[in-house]
Amino acid sequence: QMSQQLGTFRSHLEAFASKHKQEIRKSPAFRLQFQDMCATIGVDPLASGKGFWAEMLGVGDFYYELGVQIIEVCLALRHRNGGLITLEELQQQVLKGRGKFAQDVSQDDLLRAIKKLKVLGSGFGIIPVGGTFLVQSVPAELNMDHTVVLQLAEKKGFVTVSEIQASLKWETERAKQVLEHLLKEGMAWLDSQAPAEPQFWLPALFSELHGHD
């Protein structure tokens, strides 16, 4: 009986998709609600390139195309941010590249597309920082220590060894190792002329830079 009900619900969902095809493709909010409905019955409209969902909605194409645009933006900015970019900046850059007549793209759309990009290898990942996310587009090994330091740097855009020691109660060597790794990977910039002690800036979190682009 349960599978019968699910079958009925699935056919209703397909009918709904047919009826609201344009809204699903055009509206990010509508698309999110539709994705949630699909998740409720265990249907992933992105899982298959063939079949009803791809043909009816073209959602597969939408996310694959978005994935390519995400890769392009990340590659173009990698020299500056070392392969780390905030979800907000990624959204701005993707929308800028799509032009004003393209479908709107929400942060939820970006996160879904990035999750699909993970099949390409370990390069793409999502790091929660504050109330947002950092998108990592290089296969650098970042452990919990690195993530915690990124979260600490989020408010000001930079962090120092003594700030890490004070906030996290770490030994000096542990703080230095994490910062040296971020520096080596190109994810941090070193300001050795800062007044008190060297500052390690995270260009992905440095909002002033974005304003000058």
Side-chain angles (χ1 to χ4, degrees), residues 24 31 34-35 38-39 42-55 57-67 108-117 119:
I24 291 167
R31 197 156 49 241
F34 178 71
Q35 296 274 10
C38 288
V43 172
D44 182 356
L46 305 185
S48 167
K50 299 189 178 79
F52 172 81
W53 299 105
E55 285 168 27
L57 299 172
V59 282
D61 293 344
F62 170 81
Y63 283 100
Y64 297 134
E65 179 192 311
L66 191 55
D108 179 76
D109 288 330
L110 290 172
L111 290 172
R112 287 179 194 276
I114 290 162
K115 282 171 186 166
K116 294 294 165 190
L117 288 174
V119 300

Side-chain angles (χ1 to χ4, degrees), residues 88-131:
E88 286 83 356
E89 196 193 355
L90 180 61
Q91 184 184 26
Q92 286 168 15
Q93 296 288 347
V94 165
L95 287 171
K96 198 158 72 175
R98 286 173 74 82
K100 57 183 177 183
F101 298 110
Q103 289 161 266
D104 201 5
V105 172
S106 70
Q107 292 188 6
D108 179 76
D109 288 330
L110 290 172
L111 290 172
R112 287 179 194 276
I114 290 162
K115 282 171 186 166
K116 294 294 165 190
L117 288 174
K118 283 186 178 179
V119 300
L120 299 176
S122 60
F124 275 84
I126 297 163
I127 304 166
V129 173

Side-chain angles (χ1 to χ4, degrees), residues 13-170:
L13 191 61
E14 290 184 358
F16 175 86
S18 305
K19 188 178 174 186
H20 297 284
K21 178 179 174 177
Q22 291 308 317
E23 288 116 304
I24 291 167
R25 292 177 70 168
K26 284 179 184 168
S27 161
F30 209 90
R31 197 156 49 241
L32 175 59
Q33 289 175 318
F34 178 71
Q35 296 274 10
D36 288 345
M37 281 164 59
C38 288
T40 307
I41 58 159
V43 172
D44 182 356
L46 305 185
S48 167
K50 299 189 178 79
F52 172 81
W53 299 105
E55 285 168 27
M56 171 52 63
L57 299 172
V59 282
D61 293 344
F62 170 81
Y63 283 100
Y64 297 134
E65 179 192 311
L66 191 55
V68 171
Q69 289 173 323
I70 289 168
I71 292 169
E72 285 171 349
V73 168
C74 288
L75 283 174
L77 298 179
R78 193 180 285 178
H79 70 283
R80 189 191 81 195
N81 58 31
L84 278 181
I85 186 171
T86 59
L87 191 60
E88 286 83 356
E89 196 193 355
L90 180 61
Q91 184 184 26
Q92 286 168 15
Q93 296 288 347
V94 165
L95 287 171
K96 198 158 72 175
R98 286 173 74 82
K100 57 183 177 183
F101 298 110
Q103 289 161 266
D104 201 5
V105 172
S106 70
Q107 292 188 6
D108 179 76
D109 288 330
L110 290 172
L111 290 172
R112 287 179 194 276
I114 290 162
K115 282 171 186 166
K116 294 294 165 190
L117 288 174
K118 283 186 178 179
V119 300
L120 299 176
S122 60
F124 275 84
I126 297 163
I127 304 166
V129 173
T132 182
F133 296 95
L134 277 176
V135 177
Q136 180 188 346
S137 61
V138 288
E141 284 301 317
L142 296 184
N143 58 29
M144 275 308 294
D145 278 8
H146 301 113
T147 305
V148 169
V149 168
L150 289 171
Q151 289 169 341
L152 193 63
E154 190 234 347
K155 289 183 179 67
K156 295 186 296 182
F158 73 88
V159 71
T160 63
V161 172
S162 57
E163 281 173 352
I164 294 172
Q165 287 175 303
S167 296
L168 305 174
K169 308 290 182 277
W170 286 2

